Amino acid sequence: MAPSRGPQPLARSLHVTLASHKGPVNVARYAKGSAKYILTGGQDRTVRLWNASLGSEIKAFTAHGYEVLSISVAHDNAKFVSSGGDRSVFVWDVATGVTTRRLAGHMGKIHVVEFNEDASVVASGSFDASVRLWDLRAQTRQPIQILEEARDAVQTIHVGSTFIMTGSVDGHVRTYDLRKGELRSDYIGHPVTAVVPTQDTQTALVTTLDSHIRLIDMTSGKMLNDFTGHKNASYRCRACFGHGEASVVCGDEDGKVWAWDLLDAGLLQPNPPPKVHDKVITWTEHHPSDPNEMITASADGTCKVWKQPE
């Protein structure tokens, strides 16, 4: 989309509400590609698979003994990983609904798991302030590498083709260049709960617990833009890009979904936005290919699918 046309309006028509979880929904992820499937993970220790178009639950994955905090879907949608209070990474086969392996080693709850591009490696970030990298092709159950630079809980990870980015409660975004073996650390100054790079990996959205979302230049660490207006001081509320990376979208602790123009950081209408969840919105994710659809997950126990009116 050409920047001159500006961002598309946000999908704000409620299409369907997914409400089988008992208690807060901590994460909601789209399947890869154009399919309309969603995986949600909650306080009730389950991961649930949904048909987003129909709003029907297809399957519940139940092996966690504690809350589920993170999910990452493989590129081919055949498997996914999940993590949470168990201190282990669970690898699931979607078709059979069983775990194919569990990777233990963290000393605290695992806030985030993320696949690499071909789903051969999983990165996990924990309350124990470490990031562990696991090779799923290896027979051994030991991590291939442990990153221990963070001084506090690791809340977010992005695995790129040649780099890994992590965000920690210690206020730093750390970028590990895997080819050069270099680490760059950018001090944001507030607990970092989400890092989402643009597709060209030149810039990244950094969500922090001071009610700010910053757009950071990944080569220089310079702040390019600052998005404010929402309330986010206590909980992980993941911000994401809207369609075509022309806008920034984030749910907040009042249950509102905010949107800004990426270029001038101006709030998109309506301002202020309406309250659409009863509690904090924990996760916001735009559909990977459909410009007219996104999802929000909330501590009110629901995940909502939003569409543009046709």
Side-chain angles (χ1 to χ4, degrees):
M1 177 186 292
S4 58
R5 288 168 51 195
Q8 275 193 278
L10 199 61
R12 288 199 179 270
S13 296
L14 181 60
H15 173 63
V16 72
T17 300
L18 315 176
S20 300
H21 281 285
K22 309 268 184 293
V25 183
N26 297 318
V27 57
R29 305 298 305 255
Y30 273 109
K32 297 292 192 284
S34 57
K36 296 289 179 79
Y37 295 100
I38 296 169
L39 280 164
T40 57
Q43 197 89 28
D44 60 5
R45 313 192 293 277
T46 66
V47 175
R48 295 171 190 268
L49 175 66
W50 308 83
N51 179 315
S53 303
L54 304 174
S56 53
E57 184 181 327
I58 300 166
K59 194 179 279 188
F61 300 85
T62 55
H64 279 278
Y66 295 85
E67 61 177 343
V68 179
L69 294 171
S70 181
I71 296 169
S72 180
V73 184
H75 58 94
D76 58 2
N77 293 324
K79 62 175 183 258
F80 69 92
V81 282
S82 60
S83 73
D86 297 275
R87 304 194 295 209
S88 297
V89 176
F90 288 54
V91 184
W92 300 83
D93 178 74
V94 174
T96 60
V98 298
T99 54
T100 54
R101 54 166 66 184
R102 297 186 195 180
L103 306 166
H106 279 291
M107 306 305 290
K109 63 168 75 170
I110 303 174
H111 292 293
V112 55
V113 279
E114 208 62 56
F115 275 122
N116 67 340
E117 278 174 55
D118 66 357
S120 58
V121 173
V122 169
S124 56
S126 166
F127 185 74
D128 66 15
S130 76
V131 173
R132 288 165 195 258
L133 305 179
W134 314 86
D135 186 345
L136 297 184
R137 294 167 302 193
Q139 291 306 306
T140 164
R141 296 294 166 97
Q142 298 304 311
I144 46 175
Q145 198 172 356
I146 303 177
L147 310 174
E148 299 186 284
E149 284 72 24
R151 304 264 68 88
D152 206 334
V154 176
Q155 288 275 354
T156 178
I157 296 175
H158 174 82
V159 183
S161 50
T162 60
F163 68 96
I164 292 173
M165 284 182 87
T166 69
S168 166
V169 174
D170 66 14
H172 286 81
V173 173
R174 293 177 174 85
T175 307
Y176 299 85
D177 187 316
L178 302 177
R179 283 179 304 193
K180 298 182 191 159
E182 289 176 1
L183 164 65
R184 205 192 70 229
S185 184
D186 294 310
Y187 183 55
I188 311 295
H190 299 274
V192 177
T193 57
V195 175
V196 180
T198 44
Q199 271 169 328
D200 63 8
T201 66
Q202 297 301 302
T203 58
L205 270 189
V206 180
T207 312
T208 47
L209 291 184
D210 61 341
S211 302
H212 284 257
I213 303 160
R214 295 169 178 85
L215 186 69
I216 304 286
D217 184 311
M218 283 182 57
T219 42
S220 68
K222 207 172 115 219
M223 183 170 87
L224 304 173
N225 234 334
D226 191 3
F227 307 93
T228 58
H230 63 302
K231 181 180 161 194
N232 181 198
S234 316
Y235 297 92
R236 178 175 76 175
C237 302
R238 175 188 187 260
C240 67
F241 291 103
H243 177 66
E245 297 181 342
S247 60
V248 172
V249 187
C250 189
D252 78 353
E253 291 171 10
D254 291 334
K256 299 171 180 171
V257 179
W258 298 75
W260 299 264
D261 186 308
L262 182 72
L263 297 179
D264 66 9
L267 272 164
L268 302 182
Q269 296 300 329
N271 173 22
K275 185 179 169 90
V276 296
H277 280 282
D278 293 332
K279 292 182 177 170
V280 52
I281 297 175
T282 50
W283 198 272
T284 310
E285 187 160 304
H286 203 281
H287 190 278
S289 58
D290 185 341
N292 301 315
E293 184 175 311
M294 58 174 253
I295 47 176
T296 54
S298 168
D300 66 10
T302 65
C303 174
K304 296 187 176 184
V305 182
W306 305 91
K307 282 187 180 288
Q308 292 277 26
E310 292 300 325

